[in-house]
Amino acid sequence: MIFPCILSGGIGSRLWPLSRKDRPKQFLPLFDGESLFQKTCKRVSGKDFANPIIIGGNAHRFLMGEQMAEIGVEADTILLEPVGRNTAPPALMAALIAFEKDPDALILLLPSDHLIGKEEVFLSAVGTAQDAAQNGRIVTFGITPTTSNTGYGYIQLDAGDEAVRKVSAFVEKPDLARAQEFLKGGAHVWNAGIFLYSAQTMIEAFKVYQPALFENISALMATRHSDLDFTRLDEGKFAQLESISIDYAIMEKAGNVVCAPIAPDWDDLGSWSAIWSVLDKDKEGNSALGDARFLNCKECLAYADQRLVSVIGLENVMVIATTDSVLVAHKDQAQDVKKVVEQLEAEGRSETERHPRSYRPWGYSERINSGDRFAVQSMMIKPGKRLSLQSHLHRAEHWVVVSGTLEITINGEVSLLTENQSAYVPLGAQHTLHNPGRIPVRMIEVQSGTYLQEDDIVRHS
């Protein structure tokens, strides 16, 4: 049985301002209403696969669970990373989890933020590579290059036309001249970061090539414990793990690495220009996501979040407009968006951290406006969900129900609010919200006080 292990720990800073730390690119519903994470989960949910092992950031735990529920995919394990430690630790963690269930298990390790247009080609290659993996090989899947791309690492293959070929070398991201040579020569493929191996093979590889890391991860896995639908690990021990990629840790050292070259119409969508390249276009080459209009434009991209964006007289320009930030850039400089993010982070700006809409187990809240001593946000509470019992030291709140039926508790007094009804929560009052109905509650919350940040919450049992 193949256990898919889906890695979901990336940030995707080159897709700012849409991709942010609290909701990175793999969770954005940009493609037919689905996210890349959802597409990845569906891709490996057929009869040949076990339920997936998901390894991702603690901050995204509810996003992972919610998005899997939306597509009807159940996880074998959702293992939470308190901090990112690259790809080598997850590769071994997945092997240890699968080995407990089936000593002959195979692991398909793959990122959650890749788009594969020809999924049947990819799945066929996985099926073909199973024999090699069962016979002790570590299989990496290389993408047949279509351009001399300098943003990817490359894999050099031995000569031949077999479906699975021996790897001669792993090559770091090349300069343009070398990338052009690789494209002409035909012996190099893009390193997609997708691997197939047996649990036993990977465990033995770590024992040989990374013995200290193997011991540390084995000890860490002994600290596993359940929290709702998630599996947690000791945070202190996790933070002490070496941060290293599976390429450096194992692939470049092991002698049993082979590669399956494929052409599945693949893209890691690492920039807005890459997003533009895979979207439908008008006759002038323009692509729109959301409510966008083009006039006398060529090969432009416009993203409109909750408002109209109009682009006039431009070529090869990207306009990305969210509710709190706007990015305008030439497509040729799409990779430099990361530099803007780094500058904003150095300034302590929140726009790289949080979306205006924050998802919670009970629904979401979305900032509308804020100023001196006030903040306004909309909230959606899902049927049957309840917020924690809490109070605030520095702010009072006023709630207005827009739709649905809301059960409120203020200082122990319970009442129901329906459409157009409101309630006032004094500073310091213990309160909670509950949706007892079968449709979502939508409401407006107005906060007023001297301090309105999220850490002004005292939670009660």
Side-chain angles (χ1 to χ4, degrees), residues 186-430:
H188 292 78
V189 292
W190 291 334
N191 186 350
I194 303 174
F195 306 95
L196 180 69
Y197 52 85
S198 76
Q200 181 66 56
T201 296
M202 188 58 69
I203 290 169
E204 294 302 321
F206 268 84
K207 287 180 179 179
V208 172
Y209 301 109
Q210 299 292 335
L213 187 56
F214 174 81
E215 293 298 330
N216 291 337
I217 291 176
S218 297
L220 175 65
M221 293 297 281
T223 71
R224 276 180 290 168
H225 56 280
S226 297
D227 177 12
L228 301 176
D229 296 329
F230 311 107
T231 299
R232 292 187 180 274
L233 299 165
D234 181 271
E235 292 188 17
K237 285 184 169 57
F238 200 106
Q240 293 172 8
L241 290 180
E242 181 182 4
S243 180
I244 185 172
S245 72
I246 187 66
D247 288 334
Y248 285 139
I250 302 297
M251 299 298 163
E252 295 183 6
K253 297 178 172 62
N256 58 340
V257 177
V258 294
C259 179
I262 52 176
D265 195 10
W266 168 93
D267 202 305
D268 72 346
L269 299 179
S271 67
W272 280 113
S273 59
I275 297 287
W276 169 82
S277 70
V278 300
L279 293 176
D280 292 335
K281 300 171 181 62
D282 65 19
K283 62 181 181 180
E284 300 297 334
N286 302 305
S287 294
L289 287 168
D291 193 4
R293 302 290 186 274
F294 299 100
L295 179 63
N296 298 326
C297 292
K298 291 184 179 180
E299 299 192 349
C300 289
L301 169 66
Y303 173 85
D305 185 1
Q306 301 183 22
R307 62 195 62 193
L308 171 65
V309 170
S310 297
V311 186
I312 302 173
L314 298 177
E315 294 186 19
N316 292 303
V317 168
M318 312 176 300
V319 180
I320 314 300
T322 67
T323 55
D324 66 344
S325 301
V326 177
L327 168 71
V328 181
H330 195 279
K331 292 214 308 287
D332 289 348
Q333 298 187 44
Q335 297 293 334
D336 290 336
V337 173
K338 185 176 182 179
K339 297 179 181 178
V340 174
V341 172
E342 292 170 350
Q343 180 180 338
L344 293 172
E345 288 178 339
E347 296 172 4
R349 298 291 297 255
S350 64
E351 289 89 342
T352 64
E353 299 276 342
R354 298 189 303 275
H355 279 272
R357 178 176 290 186
S358 296
Y359 287 85
R360 300 286 188 268
W362 45 262
Y364 64 77
S365 62
E366 184 166 7
R367 297 191 305 274
I368 297 175
N369 199 359
S370 62
D372 185 27
R373 295 180 59 90
F374 82 92
V376 183
Q377 65 178 6
S378 64
M379 298 171 63
M380 186 278 286
I381 304 173
K382 292 182 285 190
K385 296 298 184 178
R386 180 188 300 273
L387 280 69
S388 63
L389 182 64
Q390 57 189 253
S391 61
H392 308 291
L393 298 176
H394 303 287
R395 73 175 186 247
E397 295 175 340
H398 190 181
W399 300 327
V400 181
V401 175
V402 177
S403 63
T405 299
L406 179 67
E407 180 187 87
I408 67 171
T409 303
I410 302 175
N411 284 335
E413 183 176 339
V414 182
S415 58
L416 291 177
L417 298 180
T418 57
E419 186 173 330
N420 291 325
Q421 293 184 321
S422 63
Y424 173 70
V425 185
L427 185 150
Q430 293 189 18

Side-chain angles (χ1 to χ4, degrees), residues 60-203:
H60 306 141
R61 62 194 183 278
F62 296 117
L63 275 172
M64 292 186 284
E66 292 272 337
Q67 293 204 352
M68 294 187 74
E70 287 176 3
I71 59 174
V73 174
E74 183 177 349
D76 176 274
T77 303
I78 302 179
L79 187 66
L80 301 180
E81 296 179 299
V83 292
R85 283 296 176 262
N86 217 307
T87 54
L92 178 57
M93 291 172 184
L96 293 171
I97 291 171
F99 186 81
E100 293 174 353
K101 303 174 185 297
D102 178 6
D104 297 322
L106 299 181
I107 311 294
L108 179 64
L109 187 76
L110 66 168
S112 64
D113 58 353
H114 293 179
L115 185 67
I116 295 180
K118 299 177 181 177
E119 295 192 345
E120 71 283 357
V121 173
F122 171 72
L123 294 174
S124 176
V126 172
T128 301
Q130 282 190 60
D131 284 345
Q134 289 167 341
N135 289 320
R137 302 290 190 268
I138 301 174
V139 183
T140 180
F141 294 87
I143 308 300
T144 303
T146 55
T147 63
S148 50
N149 196 304
T150 60
Y152 301 140
Y154 284 71
I155 302 169
Q156 183 178 350
L157 306 179
D158 278 5
D161 56 5
E162 299 87 353
V164 178
R165 294 156 61 181
K166 186 172 176 54
V167 171
S168 298
F170 286 85
V171 183
E172 287 293 324
K173 296 176 182 178
D175 58 25
L176 182 58
R178 290 192 73 199
Q180 290 172 339
E181 290 178 9
F182 292 165
L183 184 63
K184 292 178 182 178
H188 292 78
V189 292
W190 291 334
N191 186 350
I194 303 174
F195 306 95
L196 180 69
Y197 52 85
S198 76
Q200 181 66 56
T201 296
M202 188 58 69
I203 290 169

